[in-house]
Amino acid sequence: MQRSPGPQRSTTARHVDRFVTVSPAQRTSQSPARAATPPPTPAVPRPASATPIGRIPVIELAPVVEGGRWPAKAVTGEAVRVQATVFREGHDAVAATAVLTGPDGVEHSRVTMDPVDPGLDHMEAWLVPDRVGDWTFHVEGWSDPYGTWLHDAPLKVNAGVDVELMLTEGALLLEAAAARPELPAEARTVLTDAVTALRDAGRPPAARLAAGTAQEVRDALAAHPVREHVTPSAAYPLRVDRPLALVGSWYEFFPRSEGARFDPEKGGWVSGTLRTAAERLPAIADMGFDVVYLTPVHPIGTTNRKGRNNTLTAQQGDPGSPYGIGSPEGGHDAIHPELGTFADFDAFVARARELGMEVALDIALQASPDHPWVTEHPEWFTRRADGTIAYAENPPKKYQDIYPLNFDNDPEGIYHAVRDMLQVWIDHGVTAFRVDNPHTKPLDFWERILTDVRESHPEVVFLSEAFTRPAMMRTLAAVGFHQSYTYFTWRTTKEEVAEYLEEVGNETSHVLRPSFWPTTHDILTPYMQTGGVAAFAIRAVLAATGSPTWGIYSGYELVENVARPGAEEQIDNEKYELKARDWSRAEHIGISHLLTELNRIRRAHPALQRLRGLTVHPTTDDATVCFSRHVPAHLSPTGQADTVVVVLTLDPFTTREGIIDLDLTALGLPEPAPGTDPGTPLLAATDELSGETYFWGRQPYVRLDPHQRCAHVLSVRPL
């Protein structure tokens, strides 16, 4: 065992003054359950002062989290949809501009918003931040005099009402617009030519009107609008992270199983090491994964150690659960001696980076009865009436081998211990943390520690493993978690899948970034238990294309689908024993090839690297799902439009067929002329999995055999 020297206390102490602290006496208290004297009730915070409404009201802005209490989320290069409702009194035209301001307080870009939902005053625009940091955006509403004239003049001139007056007003308006000193010369020429034509009484009124409403005039004023009564909204926060916070392919494995072997002389199993685990890295990289995620690597307690299949009594040689963290050899800042040393860990990280992958580590804030914290800080745990320390429970599940932390008695001490521990692993090259059950720890703890880490290490990504109520999941995301496990794993019917894709891709995309996992070391759903290889293929396609971040648990390639009786987890679970696998079987099964192809396709298509803007398309079959993502050329990192349509069956047993009703606008395609036959080819759809190209109309037919071809992943272009 080797314990890494932790950081100096000063790495976190600089942030303490922003939070309520406790006295040294409180910190060393060994009160059984709660402090005898409760802390005073905090002062009730007051909402921010309301922004004056102004002449042009701007309301219902999005993306906004809790009125701006927390920032909306984005990553560099990601297009963010800004929405607002903008209106005014009377009938004059209004317009709006979305404005993006960088972390340095300097305006980055502004875009005139497009009207949507006619008659409801809704407007939207897309803004693209280009560097990590805390940005803001706001919307400026304004009166559009040219828009008003453009609406009124044709009606009156064509009706012969106030003809000369309307043409004169148009000329005066364009003359004033052309006189602006900041106007480019080309635009000024367009406008002055229109003014001359509008004032030419020798031409027919219709011709004069046409000059003032010509497309080149509209284009010039769209690029350089005349804005009156400009009314800005409040500025709202937008936190921009590096791309891995949104896009990534994760591969989870237990390092002790890689290289594990049975020793006939000893009559038992010998653990793998970090060095043998590193030998698995090239195969993981070859499948296209970005992140290799390690379950806890710390010393494991022996008191109440769990045996195979979660039995209460461990037998000789049972390694125990890596989540039963802590022994006399160390706790969360130490490495299990059977795995190796910090030099071995550093070598593992270095090898992963050579192969283009980052290393994530599982953080489980709990302790085995043998953890140093239990003797050094008994006040960090809950004592029951009989004097024993309470172990973890999630009824009906019991975890006798771990004690949960109690944040009531010494939150400051726990905070510093955890912050120092995280720094140890960051210093050894960990750039992502998968946090076990964060919903069982206080939200103010997470908000504080995630803020602290971000200030000094903005590159570090935190993945929340919180299978809990929606409010808690979303608030964990709001206070700083970059990504979250989701209930995707249990969404298996057509209606469930479609509804969930819409939810995470549109309704909550500004705050909660999903990570889709078909299975985990804790979860093996009935669908996966019974669906065979086809189920593993279907869920891999759905996870890899339904979310920008997805992950698989080691052994997925081998279709490990046998459950422990009465449980939704694997039998002979790797949490409680070493598992040596025969990876040579993977090629014959074919799932590893599919994973490789899916990761290749994801890298090739910007549309699959985006969360916002997913569209579900109706199908006639009750087990066939179709959805798409589209990135227009002006928002694409390649400068070219990218559209991906995914069609897959959810039935792992029988062939399915049906008709898709494509929303062509969502695919970036024009609507066909009225009366066009639904079968008339309008687009070329190339299946990235098979290489075949189909020529589809608005309502194409599909047939999917889950044992041969469970899905189409199609790149689309117009004909």
Side-chain angles (χ1 to χ4, degrees):
M1 183 278 300
Q2 184 183 18
R3 187 191 297 255
S4 176
Q8 297 299 309
R9 182 69 68 192
S10 61
T11 60
T12 54
R14 66 183 183 277
H15 303 294
V16 172
D17 60 344
R18 294 181 294 149
F19 299 89
V20 175
T21 59
V22 296
S23 68
Q26 287 176 300
R27 190 173 298 177
T28 58
S29 168
Q30 297 186 18
S31 173
R34 299 180 182 276
T37 302
T41 302
V44 178
R46 297 179 62 83
S49 299
T51 303
I53 195 166
R55 182 64 181 275
I56 309 296
V58 180
I59 64 172
E60 298 175 338
L61 270 74
V64 175
V65 182
E66 286 293 306
R69 181 177 186 179
W70 296 294
K73 285 181 164 62
V75 299
T76 54
E78 179 188 9
V80 178
R81 178 164 55 189
V82 174
Q83 298 169 299
T85 300
V86 183
F87 56 98
R88 66 167 296 175
E89 83 289 348
H91 302 287
D92 284 2
V94 295
T97 304
V99 183
L100 184 63
T101 301
D104 55 3
V106 176
E107 182 179 307
H108 174 270
S109 54
R110 55 175 52 232
V111 178
T112 300
M113 304 179 77
D114 295 319
V116 293
D117 301 327
L120 298 179
D121 301 314
H122 295 168
M123 298 190 180
E124 72 173 30
W126 295 81
L127 300 173
V128 184
D130 58 8
R131 63 188 184 275
V132 171
D134 287 331
W135 298 60
T136 63
F137 71 91
H138 70 275
V139 169
E140 296 172 351
W142 40 278
S143 182
D144 180 6
Y146 180 70
T148 301
W149 183 83
L150 193 62
H151 173 270
D152 294 348
L155 294 176
K156 290 190 174 184
V157 171
N158 293 333
V161 177
D162 297 335
V163 173
E164 196 61 37
L165 177 61
M166 293 306 299
L167 296 175
T168 300
E169 288 181 348
L172 291 171
L173 173 63
L174 296 185
E175 188 174 52
R180 292 173 295 171
E182 72 275 12
L183 197 69
E186 183 177 351
R188 180 175 290 107
T189 299
V190 169
L191 297 183
T192 54
D193 288 347
V195 170
T196 301
L198 281 166
R199 286 180 168 155
D200 186 354
R203 302 176 66 181
R208 296 163 65 187
L209 176 66
T213 60
Q215 190 60 52
E216 58 266 28
V217 175
R218 300 186 193 203
D219 291 344
L221 290 177
H224 310 282
V226 176
R227 306 194 316 156
E228 296 180 349
H229 305 303
V230 176
T231 306
S233 72
Y236 290 95
L238 179 70
R239 177 157 290 165
V240 180
D241 297 303
R242 69 185 180 111
L244 188 69
L246 173 67
V247 186
S249 303
W250 290 46
Y251 187 98
E252 173 197 359
F253 77 106
F254 286 67
R256 69 186 187 181
S257 287
E258 291 302 321
R261 58 185 176 83
F262 185 81
D263 187 336
E265 294 185 4
K266 296 181 179 179
W269 283 87
V270 176
S271 172
T273 67
L274 289 165
R275 295 282 180 177
T276 59
E279 296 174 8
R280 176 69 181 152
L281 292 176
I284 298 171
D286 286 345
M287 287 187 285
F289 287 95
D290 308 304
V291 178
V292 56
Y293 144 43
L294 302 179
T295 52
V297 297
H298 319 298
I300 299 171
T302 56
T303 301
N304 296 332
R305 173 177 285 189
K306 293 292 187 76
R308 293 185 59 187
N309 287 310
N310 201 26
T311 55
L312 297 181
T313 304
Q315 303 299 314
Q316 181 68 30
D318 285 347
S321 167
Y323 293 89
I325 298 169
S327 76
E329 296 159 317
H332 288 73
D333 58 354
I335 292 177
H336 196 298
E338 292 183 356
L339 287 175
T341 66
F342 271 94
D344 297 324
F345 188 87
D346 293 343
F348 181 95
V349 172
R351 181 60 174 141
R353 289 180 175 175
E354 286 176 4
L355 295 167
M357 296 186 294
E358 300 188 33
V359 175
L361 184 64
D362 206 324
I363 296 297
L365 297 185
Q366 58 209 25
S368 86
D370 305 316
H371 197 294
W373 286 349
V374 176
T375 54
E376 296 172 4
H377 298 282
E379 72 277 12
W380 292 1
F381 305 93
T382 299
R383 288 196 180 274
R384 309 193 67 167
D386 61 1
T388 62
I389 296 178
Y391 55 76
E393 295 186 72
N394 184 16
K397 295 182 179 180
K398 295 184 177 182
Y399 305 93
Q400 295 90 337
D401 56 337
I402 56 175
Y403 293 157
L405 293 174
N406 182 330
F407 287 76
D408 293 344
N409 297 332
D410 184 17
E412 199 68 20
I414 293 175
Y415 173 84
H416 284 297
V418 175
R419 180 64 184 88
D420 288 354
M421 176 268 292
L422 291 174
Q423 191 63 47
V424 167
W425 297 107
I426 292 170
D427 290 344
H428 284 280
V430 172
T431 52
F433 293 101
R434 180 266 196 190
V435 179
D436 191 67
N437 289 329
H439 58 292
T440 60
K441 288 79 182 174
L443 282 163
D444 59 347
F445 165 80
W446 288 123
E447 184 173 38
R448 177 184 178 186
I449 207 163
L450 294 172
T451 299
D452 192 352
V453 173
R454 177 183 295 276
E455 288 181 358
S456 52
H457 297 281
E459 76 282 2
V460 174
V461 171
F462 285 84
L463 168 63
S464 164
E465 189 252 3
F467 295 108
T468 184
R469 299 180 302 279
M472 174 61 81
M473 292 176 68
R474 294 177 188 178
T475 306
L476 283 165
V479 302
F481 276 94
H482 300 81
Q483 301 173 354
S484 176
Y485 281 79
T486 68
Y487 283 101
F488 159 81
T489 314
W490 291 274
R491 301 297 190 259
T492 56
T493 69
K494 176 183 176 179
E495 292 73 18
E496 290 170 344
V497 168
E499 180 182 344
Y500 205 60
L501 289 174
E502 289 275 16
E503 177 184 324
V504 300
N506 295 305
E507 297 171 21
T508 62
S509 59
H510 64 296
V511 61
L512 187 149
R513 301 187 185 110
S515 183
F516 282 3
W517 293 70
T519 66
T520 73
H521 62 260
D522 289 317
I523 303 168
L524 185 68
T525 61
Y527 181 94
M528 304 300 285
Q529 295 174 29
T530 59
V533 175
F536 277 65
I538 290 167
R539 297 302 288 189
V541 173
L542 188 55
T545 59
S547 170
T549 289
W550 78 302
I552 66 120
Y553 162 48
S554 181
Y556 197 90
E557 310 95 306
L558 304 179
V559 189
E560 295 176 349
N561 64 348
V562 179
R564 178 162 56 88
E568 287 192 15
E569 66 176 41
Q570 293 179 8
I571 197 168
D572 302 329
N573 194 294
E574 199 170 2
K575 287 184 293 184
Y576 309 109
E577 61 183 81
L578 305 175
K579 181 171 285 189
R581 294 179 170 92
D582 179 7
W583 294 114
S584 66
R585 296 173 45 234
E587 184 175 354
H588 172 72
I589 295 170
I591 293 294
S592 60
H593 174 72
L594 176 62
L595 301 180
T596 304
E597 286 298 289
L598 290 171
N599 282 329
R600 176 189 63 80
I601 295 167
R602 285 165 48 87
R603 280 196 169 94
H605 286 282
L608 294 178
Q609 299 166 26
R610 296 293 178 261
L611 177 61
R612 294 171 164 94
L614 178 142
T615 300
V616 175
H617 304 265
T619 69
T620 58
D621 180 65
D622 63 4
T624 301
V625 171
C626 178
F627 59 93
S628 67
R629 280 194 172 90
H630 169 69
V631 179
H634 71 284
L635 297 177
S636 173
T638 65
Q640 298 180 335
D642 186 47
T643 305
V644 175
V645 176
V646 179
V647 188
L648 77 160
T649 176
L650 300 175
D651 183 347
F653 303 109
T654 59
T655 298
R656 293 287 187 149
E657 57 186 70
I659 302 295
I660 306 169
D661 187 8
L662 292 174
D663 179 346
L664 297 178
T665 302
L667 303 182
L669 300 175
E671 288 289 337
T676 302
D677 187 284
T680 301
L682 301 171
L683 57 93
T686 300
D687 192 335
E688 298 280 356
L689 290 172
S690 69
E692 297 175 297
T693 297
Y694 309 95
F695 297 96
W696 279 3
R698 184 172 197 148
Q699 296 181 332
Y701 163 84
V702 294
R703 184 177 187 273
L704 297 170
D705 178 350
H707 306 292
Q708 299 294 326
R709 179 176 299 166
C710 68
H712 297 300
V713 180
L714 304 152
S715 57
V716 172
R717 59 178 175 81
L719 291 178

